[in-house]
């Protein structure tokens, strides 16, 4: 006898009947923890949205940095944690997003807030085209291949005089807006981007594609022969991750008003993303958010260390990979799940 | 004559790239590890040679007597201490660990030696050349580095083909569990492979550091060039890596002859074209793995 | 009774929660040929992998000459005289036949077998020596796999499913070589699904069902009805 009960309504509702099981087993996606966690998250976003009315410009500019880190971590996790692809070339899309904003809003004179998503879409398009090259490599060679693509993008961008060639450019499109408003607007855009990106990955992983991705990650050959469209799903992930990183890059430039090829195309971004995801917990939605917060706090705390800062970051990343591969979020041992993408089997009531 | 000159210099440069890439190829071949710290390790070896040259007043080539064994020992310990563990942690772990290692090493080098560009001084060898015709002369140093690259690739090939340990490495590469059933201690073998790889990396680092200036950030391009040579040549084939190095070297020197700013870019573009047209490389290994 | 060469004593091996061997005991005396038979999933290959050191028993012990092999890794067991021709041959596809054989002798144990003796035993292998192992027929691959195990000069030779996927005439040819192996004093443990073949070469048979012994007899005295019943796990009347 199999009894299936929808665990709850709303976000946690779609319980799927197991095809076989012994009496009293029920399958559910969310538990009470997810509801509490989800509630906390909604309140946190609401508080953050209200912040510009009560906080200094400096705080807002700082927090935009945090939101970008959350987006970057979430995107890298989508690639590696869900898609099984280690990329060390995501700076290609960060840079292209940043430069795209400068070009669309500065050179072409489009509205900067329209330019941000447009620049990100352009990243997706370029990523789709380059995926046909990158996907000819796998594993570690894929990783370096993405880096080469990022280098090519950088070397091409610095040939373009309209965006300042090798020396970079300033974003002047906001000059008509009062700085106080501009900072608040950019803050809200950054917060919105972070929320949308996290939710998008959450919904993607709960969809059929998410299921396929999990199958690919666990057993690519078997997934391929069982009818899961491996390459298509991976390509979708690759393109989405580029769009997300492009958004982050545009937000970073909108926040700092300056784009410089050496820093926006720096491989240090990949190091940052990897650290965030590894320390937070690979293959979970919560992990990169926690990792981003940890990185953000460390960044403030360890800024005085200079080069030792990245040494510490690297050592922690290695240690976590080898000793606690599930990261900080893994320490909860699945007892908590704010974003339940999998199913849990438990005794029915 | 500039074109002939560019091609000749490119071929010689290719020998150096093959030297840089040989260790990357070996580690991937035996353990399926793509060592993302490969480039930084080469630069680290160059700094080590610099220290030896400074403190003992030795010629950079003489310093190889110290640098090669030290790097080989580092490789042995690295494999036993970190990479063996990483191999047990699934497919992503070796990548994350070697990338983390690259970040750590690069920043340790920055801390120790600052970001200032350095160069190993090989004396008159660095400038001496054989004049072939008016527009074409071959430098002794590029020639020497190409010959050393050729010898290292040939030596590794002979080692893998003819020795008991080399055979065991090929067997382990094919089927690790079956190799254990033949009495092969795969972990010891892995440590030896990494030690040899880092020994070649040490030689590569000293030649790289004598050819041009280097700084702690130079590991990135070093890794990328080595990787491009390996992929252009075809995975799992040492002679392919040599061919790939030559193709990359020629692309860079010919690109730079068109416009100095295009050298590196031309190398990347040729790599991408090969990837598009011949994804298995120019000289793929006979047996697909 | 003297100490047997191999003692598998009350061994339990499980894959996750699924036990493949349930308190199984097997003894093989020096110079003897034991055939372990059983249907698919009886635990035969698990038994050989446990003896070779690829799997670690949850309970029980494996002893060679009375010395426990607990914690002894697979490659050290080869040096102590246990060699295996694994299920599915598992040749090194990119290596030539001769290199495959040389790798078999990696442990450098002294003994009667060397390249010349193996080629003498399997003349067909000798003709193929320069070819990559990937380009051989199934029967040729199996001969190389047995030869490769012999190169380790084992005291105990483990043969896993020699007949798998091969034509009966080829299987018969392969097993015809077995007396020349045992006459060197080598002890052999064969795992087979082909019962007749096993009975023909072995001095003793042991039949497994779901990880336990259901029948043990000298090959000469086996009652075929009883054996069939044990093999399929039905009551013999």
């Amino acid at each position: 006898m199999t009894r299936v009960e929808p665990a709850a309504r709303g976000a946690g509702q779609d319980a799927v009947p197991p095809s076989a099981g012994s009496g009293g087993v029920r399958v559910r996606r969310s538990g009470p923890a997810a509801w509490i966690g989800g509630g906390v998250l909604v309140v946190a976003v609401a508080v953050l949205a209200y912040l510009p009315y009560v906080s200094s410009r400096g705080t807002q500019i700082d927090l935009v940095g945090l939101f970008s880190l959350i987006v970057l971590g979430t995107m890298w996790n989508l690639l590696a944690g869900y898609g099984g692809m280690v990329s060390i070339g995501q700076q290609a899309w960060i840079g292209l997003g940043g430069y795209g904003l400068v070009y669309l809003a500065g050179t072409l004179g489009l509205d900067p807030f329209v330019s941000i998503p447009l620049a990100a879409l352009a990243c997706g398009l370029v990523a789709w085209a380059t995926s046909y090259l990158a996907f000819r490599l796998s594993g570690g060679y894929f990783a370096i291949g993405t880096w080469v693509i990022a280098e090519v993008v950088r070397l091409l961008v610095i040939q373009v005089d309209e965006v300042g060639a090798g020396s970079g450019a300033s974003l002047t499109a906001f000059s008509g807006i009062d700085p106080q408003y501009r900072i608040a607007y950019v803050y809200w855009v950054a917060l919105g981007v972070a929320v949308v990106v996290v939710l998008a990955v959450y919904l993607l992983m709960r969809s059929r594609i998410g299921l396929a991705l999990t199958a690919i990650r666990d057993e690519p050959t078997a997934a391929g022969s069982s009818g899961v469209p491996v390459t298509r799903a991976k390509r979708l992930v690759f393109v989405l991750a580029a769009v997300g990183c492009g958004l982050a890059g545009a937000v970073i430039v909108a926040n700092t008003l300056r784009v410089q090829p050496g820093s926006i195309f720096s491989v240090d971004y990949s190091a940052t993303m990897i650290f965030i995801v590894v320390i937070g917990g690979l293959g979970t939605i919560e992990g990169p958010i926690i990792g981003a917060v940890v990185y953000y706090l460390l960044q403030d705390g360890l800024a005085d260390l200079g080069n030792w800062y990245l040494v510490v970051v690297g050592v922690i990343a290695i240690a976590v990979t080898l000793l606690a591969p599930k990261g900080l979020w893994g320490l909860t041992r699945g007892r908590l799940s704010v974003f339940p993408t999998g199913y849990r089997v438990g005794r029915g009531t | 004559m500039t074109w002939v000159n560019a091609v000749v210099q490119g071929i010689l440069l290719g020998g150096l790239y093959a030297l840089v890439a040989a260790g990357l190829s070996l580690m991937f071949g035996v353990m399926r590890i793509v060592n993302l710290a490969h480039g930084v390790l080469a630069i680290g070896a160059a700094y080590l040679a610099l220290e030896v040259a400074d403190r003992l007043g030795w010629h950079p080539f003489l310093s190889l007597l110290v640098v090669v064994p030290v790097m080989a020992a580092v490789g042995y310990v690295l494999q036993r201490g970190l990479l063996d563990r990483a191999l047990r942690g699934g497919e992503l772990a070796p990548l994350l660990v070697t990338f983390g290692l690259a970040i750590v090493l690069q920043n340790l080098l920055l801390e120790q030696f600052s970001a200032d560009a350095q160069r190993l001084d090989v004396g008159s060898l660095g400038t001496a050349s054989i004049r072939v015709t008016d527009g074409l002369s071959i430098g002794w140093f590029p020639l020497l580095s190409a010959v050393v690259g050729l010898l290292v690739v040939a030596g590794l090939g002979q080692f893998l083909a003819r020795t008991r340990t080399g055979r065991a490495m090929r067997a382990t590469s094919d089927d690790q569990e079956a190799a254990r059933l033949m009495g092969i201690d795969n972990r010891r073998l892995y440590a030896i492979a990494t030690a040899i790889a880092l020994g070649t990396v040490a030689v590569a680092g000293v030649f790289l550091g004598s050819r041009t200036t280097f700084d702690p950030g130079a590991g990135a391009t070093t890794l990328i060039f080595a990787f491009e040579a390996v992929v252009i040549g075809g995975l799992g084939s040492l002679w392919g890596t040599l061919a790939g190095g030559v193709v990359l070297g020629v692309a860079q020197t010919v690109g730079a002859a068109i416009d100095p700013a295009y050298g590196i870019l031309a190398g990347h573009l040729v790599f991408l074209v090969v990837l598009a047209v011949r994804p298995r490389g120019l000289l793929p290994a006979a047996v697909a793995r | 009774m003297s100490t047997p060469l191999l003692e598998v004593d009350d061994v339990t091996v499980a894959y996750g929660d699924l036990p493949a061997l349930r308190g199984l005991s097997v003894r093989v005396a020096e110079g003897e040929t034991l055939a372990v038979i059983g249907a698919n999933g009886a635990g035969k290959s698990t038994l050989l992998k446990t003896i070779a050191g690829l799997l670690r028993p949850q309970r029980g012990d494996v002893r060679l000459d009375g010395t426990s092999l607990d914690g002894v890794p697979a490659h050290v067991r080869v040096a102590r005289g246990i060699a295996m021709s694994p299920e599915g041959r598992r040749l090194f596809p990119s290596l030539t036949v001769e290199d495959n054989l040389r790798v078999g002798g990696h442990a450098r144990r002294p003994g009667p077998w060397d390249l010349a003796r193996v080629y003498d035993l399997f003349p067909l292998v000798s003709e193929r020596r320069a070819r990559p192992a990937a380009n051989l027929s199934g029967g040729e691959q199996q001969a190389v796999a047995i030869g490769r195990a012999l190169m380790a000069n084992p005291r105990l030779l483990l043969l896993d499913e020699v007949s798998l996927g091969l034509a009966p005439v080829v299987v018969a040819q392969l097993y015809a070589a077995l007396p020349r192996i045992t006459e060197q004093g080598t002890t052999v443990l064969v795992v087979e699904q082909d019962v007749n073949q096993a009975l023909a070469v072995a001095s003793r048979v042991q039949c497994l069902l779901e990880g336990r012994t259901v029948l043990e007899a000298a090959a000469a005295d086996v009652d075929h009805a009883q054996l069939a019943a044990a093999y399929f796990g039905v009551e013999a009347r």
Side-chain angles (χ1 to χ4, degrees), chain A residues 199-283:
Chain A
L199 275 182
V201 171
Y202 172 53
L203 293 175
L204 180 75
M205 290 316 294
R206 286 178 63 121
S207 71
R208 289 179 59 86
I209 297 165
L211 211 61
L213 285 173
T214 312
I216 295 167
R217 184 188 55 185
D218 294 346
E219 197 54 67
T221 336
S225 55
S226 67
V228 175
V230 176
T231 311
R232 248 180 39 211
K234 284 185 131 178
R235 203 182 308 283
L236 178 70
V237 162
F238 189 70
V239 169
L240 286 180
V243 171
C245 289
L247 282 173
V251 164
I252 289 168
V253 171
N255 196 35
T256 56
L257 300 179
R258 174 95 199 131
V259 64
Q260 207 273 322
S263 62
I264 198 93
F265 283 112
S266 166
V267 73
D268 286 352
Y269 274 118
S270 284
T272 304
M273 293 162 101
I274 291 174
F275 175 81
I276 287 173
V277 174
V278 167
I279 190 130
L282 187 71

Side-chain angles (χ1 to χ4, degrees), chain A residues 94-162:
Chain A
I94 301 171
L96 216 51
Y99 268 101
L101 170 63
V102 168
Y103 182 75
L104 293 172
T107 312
L108 298 186
L110 297 182
D111 180 277
F113 293 107
V114 176
S115 301
I116 292 175
L118 281 182
L121 284 179
C123 290
L125 211 64
V126 179
W128 174 78
T130 54
S131 73
Y132 285 91
L133 290 171
F135 281 21
R136 300 201 153 185
L137 300 163
S138 63
Y141 285 130
F142 172 84
I144 312 180
T146 59
W147 194 0
V148 172
I149 289 169
E151 280 298 290
V152 170
V153 171
R154 180 180 69 85
L155 290 169
L156 291 176
V157 164
I158 60 172
Q159 302 293 327
V160 181
D161 290 330
E162 282 92 337

